[in-house]
């Protein structure tokens, strides 16, 4: 969850009171009030009282106001035509219209706003004006009485020169606002990507029917494949809709283009395939490369997304190689180039980067065999290190750079964030950002995020780069000591100019998480003592909202449960994860949309989709720990909601589903504002419904919304439609889990043992419907057991963790078939119990 932190009221990008636009030949009829625009028809051949910026020379040509716009401008506001002194009345609904013709077609930012700083905008729309000419009409309601509003057409930002002509510019009161009628798609709500053949298959029907209705599953040719009846669920609290549930999980076929038909309605098409989530898992990870700061994005690696390096101290950038602190914070500069841009702006935040990089490392740690060198097509591909770890390192290097140097006050602490001194507008590519950059004060929360991620990096990078691992281990210890010495230095809630505050004045959870990671990486008693003394170690930490950057104890608990360690009460820790998963299953059972996310009074938070996914991760982890198929099914239903089984029928992931989000709030994925720029890359998650609707476009369109309807796919809706690194990280984790699920069973037989050793045979059976092409089986041996020799598999051991991989001749396990391998081992005791869990390609086997 990202807390409210985008653009305070009055900043340049703010949009208020905007209704749907119509591009027509004439304005809709209404009882118009008096005309507020002076000389909007230009029939007198004069330009006054219209004005232009110094780089423009407006002139009347053919009864239109025309201007030649120079190329080479950067921002929309670098070239403006405007008129001042326009009167607005609070509560009045206005119609604003104009005729425009552009050669060639270009976006024009049409604004009605306060004429002085902070330039509050009461109407802001950006139509692409074409070469044939159209009339553009909008309605809005003024929230203020203002005698001197400004009408402005911002037309800068083009590399090439072009020409714009305007006519019939009009602003009149007495208009009727067009009601917001979101596109919700078919009433049968499905996962628009699809379902796994042996996984759960659930859908939701919106209907007024009180009795069960028939449903039919049809293939792409229209043939019936399954049928049944719905289960009425009454009124759903989070949507306000009357709904039924559909369960078609008994169907195990494969194919593309299936549809569900119920109550006279046909769903969006979807697939049923075993490889359903493979591409999504890759795309969700590929999202991070174009988010990089401090490096040029190679268009050959991400076609359509190439751009120059941002914030490498090349004009107009003013960072990030020698960044000073805010006045009064410090007297040194730091090189903090690199890392990921946090969201749709150019800020970089340690606490949001911390949870993001942790979840990517945890995805790798869960199933390293799934992550290969070259899989993500990034500049480091081919270096012998899995691409996921290379991407993680780009951010982790930045986090390390934020640590206060030795010899300075607060040595070892981490600066909370670095971003622009003031907010910037949209669109704005990173390399064109002209704002000064500032380091913000260190905080205990940021310092503990560094301690946690550096400790985790130390153990994961050890096989690939011992020096980098050691550097992280030292940084983690230093950060921990600094946090213990300064346990209550908090980020200010008021520090929200130019970037989000990310304030957090309860860091008990960060201490717990950091202690967990340091203990797992070092085994040292000091960290075990802290864990065992923390009230969070035994508390119920499984909040209905899910964990987040401000609530991180769950991260420590999950790793203590899954990463091999000698914690005396580890069995209780593992059971606590199962208890949390049971809690989420209970919540899910009460939701007709399969939600485990259920805040009080159905008030969805900023970034609610990340809450959905993080709760699903708890369920997935419970499945990994127990093999209980209920947890697997519950986790997968979280993806169903994200990918279309929701009240809006919206897939919140760009490029996935029939009705997908594609206008997330971003300064460079800004196609909605500038057709020369791209939409977000495939695999980008939108934040999702937010009951607090803090941004003005959401306030205009969504006031009074039921929770699931508090979303609009508009680039200006920063409170419902933002993209962030800490939302894509759990999407990647869950897609990896779903994409790696195998139906399998393992038999582990000790064939002989002696005082110092034993011999074992292991059989891996494919119990699913599809072939397993390539396999790696992982398990943990009891302390003191070591594999000494193996056969029919490539066996390696690291600590207590053993991995057996396929040879070319036995890499494929066909449905109903099995492979067998064996090994001998050395044992410190006569007891040789069977391992309690086996994971095949990241999936727990029976």
């Amino acid at each position: 969850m990202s807390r409210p932190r985008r653009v305070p009221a009055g900043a340049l990008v703010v949009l208020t009171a905007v209704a749907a636009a119509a591009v027509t030949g004439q304005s809709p009829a209404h009882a118009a009030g008096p005309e507020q625009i002076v000389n909007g028809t230009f029939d007198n051949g004069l330009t006054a009282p219209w004005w232009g910026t110094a780089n423009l020379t407006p002139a009347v040509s053919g009864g239109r106001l025309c201007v030649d716009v120079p190329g080479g401008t950067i921002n929309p506001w670098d070239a403006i035509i405007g008129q001042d002194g326009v009167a607005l009345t609070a509560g009045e609904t206005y119609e604003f219209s104009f005729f425009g013709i552009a050669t060639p077609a270009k976006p024009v930012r049409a604004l009605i706003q306060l004429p002085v700083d902070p330039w509050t905008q009461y109407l802001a729309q950006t139509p692409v004006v074409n070469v044939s000419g159209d009339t553009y009409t909008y309605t809005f309601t003024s929230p203020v009485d203002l005698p001197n509003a400004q009408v402005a057409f911002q037309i800068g930002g083009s590399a090439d020169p072009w020409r714009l002509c305007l006519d019939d510019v009009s602003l009149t009161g007495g208009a009727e606002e067009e009601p917001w009628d979101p596109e919700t798609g078919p009433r049968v709500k499905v996962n628009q990507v699809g379902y796994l053949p042996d996984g759960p298959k659930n859908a939701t029907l919106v209907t007024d029917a009180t009795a069960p209705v028939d449903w039919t599953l049809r293939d792409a040719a229209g043939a019936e494949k399954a049928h049944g009846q719905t289960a009425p669920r009454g009124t759903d609290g989070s949507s306000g809709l009357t709904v039924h549930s559909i369960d078609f999980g008994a169907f195990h076929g494969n194919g593309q283009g299936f549809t569900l038909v119920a109550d006279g309605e046909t769903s969006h098409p979807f697939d049923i395939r075993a490889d359903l989530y493979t591409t999504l898992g890759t795309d969700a990870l590929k999202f991070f490369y174009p988010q990089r700061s401090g490096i040029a994005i190679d268009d050959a690696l991400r076609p359509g997304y190439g751009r120059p390096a941002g914030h490498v101290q090349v004009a107009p950038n003013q960072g990030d190689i020698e960044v000073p602190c805010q006045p009064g914070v410090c007297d040194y500069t730091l090189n903090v180039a690199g890392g990921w841009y946090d969201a749709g702006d150019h800020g970089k935040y340690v606490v949001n980067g911390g949870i993001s990089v942790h979840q990517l490392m945890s995805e790798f740690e869960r199933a390293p065999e799934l992550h290969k060198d070259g899989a993500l097509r990034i500049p480091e591909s081919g270096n012998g290190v899995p691409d996921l770890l290379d991407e993680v390192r780009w951010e982790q290097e930045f986090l390390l750079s934020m640590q206060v140097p030795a010899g300075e006050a607060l040595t070892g602490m981490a600066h909370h964030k670095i971003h622009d001194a003031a907010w910037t507008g949209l669109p704005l590519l990173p390399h064109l950002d002209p704002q000064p950059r500032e380091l913000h004060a260190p905080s205990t929360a940021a310092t503990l995020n560094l301690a946690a991620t550096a400790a985790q990096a130390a153990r994961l990078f050890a096989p690939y780069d011992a020096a980098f691992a050691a550097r992280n281990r030292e940084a983690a210890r230093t950060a921990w000591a600094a946090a213990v010495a300064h346990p209550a230095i908090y980020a200010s809630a008021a520090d929200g100019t130019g970037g989000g505050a990310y304030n957090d004045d309860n860091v008990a959870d960060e201490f717990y998480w950091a202690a967990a990671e340091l203990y797992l990486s070092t085994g040292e008693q000091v960290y075990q003592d802290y864990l065992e003394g923390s009230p969070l170690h035994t508390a119920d930490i499984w909040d209905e909202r899910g964990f987040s950057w401000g609530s991180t104890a769950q991260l420590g608990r999950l790793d203590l449960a899954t990463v091999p360690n000698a914690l005396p009460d580890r069995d209780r820790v593992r059971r606590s994860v199962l208890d949390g998963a049971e809690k989420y299953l209970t919540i899910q059972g009460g939701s007709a949309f399969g939600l485990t996310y259920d805040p009080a009074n159905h008030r969805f938070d900023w970034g609610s989709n990340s809450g959905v996914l993080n709760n699903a991760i708890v369920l997935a982890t419970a499945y990994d720990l127990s093999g209980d198929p209920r947890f697997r099914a519950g986790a997968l239903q979280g993806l169903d909601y994200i990918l279309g089984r929701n009240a809006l029928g919206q897939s919140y992931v760009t490029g996935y589903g029939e009705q997908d989000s594609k206008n997330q709030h971003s300064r460079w994925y800004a196609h909605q504002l500038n057709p020369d720029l791209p939409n977000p890359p495939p695999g980008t998650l939108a934040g999702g419904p937010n009951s607090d609707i803090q941004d003005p476009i959401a306030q205009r369109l969504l006031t009074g919304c039921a929770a699931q309807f508090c979303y609009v796919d508009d680039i200006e809706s920063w409170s419902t439609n933002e993209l962030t690194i800490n939302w894509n990280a759990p999407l990647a984790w869950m897609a990896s889990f779903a994409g790696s699920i195998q139906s399998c069973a393992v038999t582990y037989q000790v064939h002989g043992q002696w005082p110092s050793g034993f011999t074992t045979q292991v059989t891996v059976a494919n119990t699913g419907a599809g072939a397993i092409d390539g396999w790696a089986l992982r398990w943990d041996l009891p302390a003191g057991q070591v594999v000494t020799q193996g056969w029919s598999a490539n066996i390696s051991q690291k600590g207590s963790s053993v991995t057996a991989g396929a040879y070319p001749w036995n890499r494929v396990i066909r449905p109903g078939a099995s492979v067998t391998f064996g090994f001998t081992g050395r044992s410190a005791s006569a007891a040789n119990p069977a391992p309690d869990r086996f994971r095949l390609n990241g999936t727990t086997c029976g």
Side-chain angles (χ1 to χ4, degrees), residues 350-371:
V350 171
V351 295
N352 221 36
I355 188 174
S356 304
V357 80
H358 162 79
Q359 289 194 282
L360 295 192
M361 286 193 285
S362 292
E363 176 183 338
F364 178 85
E365 195 162 24
R366 175 184 177 270
E369 62 275 6
L370 299 180
H371 301 286

Side-chain angles (χ1 to χ4, degrees), residues 105 158 272:
S158 174
I272 301 177

Side-chain angles (χ1 to χ4, degrees), residues 660-672:
D660 61 317
S661 299
K662 57 178 67 71
N663 295 307
Q664 289 94 319
H665 181 76
S666 170
R667 280 161 176 74
W668 57 99
Y669 308 137
H671 185 77
Q672 184 180 345

Side-chain angles (χ1 to χ4, degrees), residues 240-433:
L241 299 174
T242 303
V243 293
H244 292 200
S245 294
I246 299 173
D247 183 346
F248 58 109
F251 178 75
H252 297 292
N254 289 267
Q256 297 178 317
F258 289 95
T259 55
L260 268 177
V261 180
D263 200 29
E265 194 87 358
T266 301
S267 74
H268 285 306
F270 55 87
D271 295 348
I272 301 177
R273 306 195 323 265
D275 63 349
L276 191 72
Y277 290 108
T278 303
T279 303
L280 175 58
T282 301
D283 281 346
L285 289 175
K286 283 185 172 182
F287 161 88
F288 290 90
Y289 170 53
Q291 286 291 119
R292 288 188 187 186
S293 176
I295 187 175
I297 304 305
D298 188 346
D299 198 71
L301 298 178
R302 295 293 185 276
Y305 293 91
R307 58 169 174 80
H311 299 97
V312 288
Q313 219 100 349
V314 174
N317 284 169
Q318 299 189 51
D320 291 343
I321 295 173
E322 293 179 294
V323 181
C325 286
Q326 286 183 305
V329 170
C330 75
D331 58 4
Y332 52 82
T333 64
L334 290 182
N335 181 348
V336 292
W340 299 318
Y341 295 118
D342 171 65
D345 60 359
H346 304 131
K348 298 184 291 188
Y349 309 84
V350 171
V351 295
N352 221 36
I355 188 174
S356 304
V357 80
H358 162 79
Q359 289 194 282
L360 295 192
M361 286 193 285
S362 292
E363 176 183 338
F364 178 85
E365 195 162 24
R366 175 184 177 270
E369 62 275 6
L370 299 180
H371 301 286
K372 308 298 184 184
D373 182 19
L376 301 181
R377 297 191 71 233
I378 57 177
E380 297 84 1
S381 293
N383 66 355
V385 178
D387 279 1
L388 177 52
L389 288 186
D390 281 326
E391 192 59 66
V392 159
R393 182 168 182 163
W394 191 263
E395 176 70 3
Q396 187 61 29
E397 292 273 15
F398 160 72
L399 297 179
L400 292 170
S401 75
M402 293 288 279
Q403 195 162 30
V404 176
E408 302 289 348
L410 301 179
T411 291
M413 297 286 283
H415 286 274
H416 197 70
K417 57 180 180 170
I418 178 258
H419 56 64
D420 291 343
W423 287 106
T424 57
L426 283 72
L428 183 66
L429 271 71
H431 68 288
L432 299 177
D433 176 15

Side-chain angles (χ1 to χ4, degrees), residues 21 33 64 78 93 97 133 313 322 336 410 444 512-513 702 711 735 830:
R64 296 169 178 164
D78 290 341
T93 299
S97 63
Q313 219 100 349
E322 293 179 294
V336 292
L410 301 179
T444 305
Y512 182 77
W513 172 34
L702 306 176
Y711 170 82

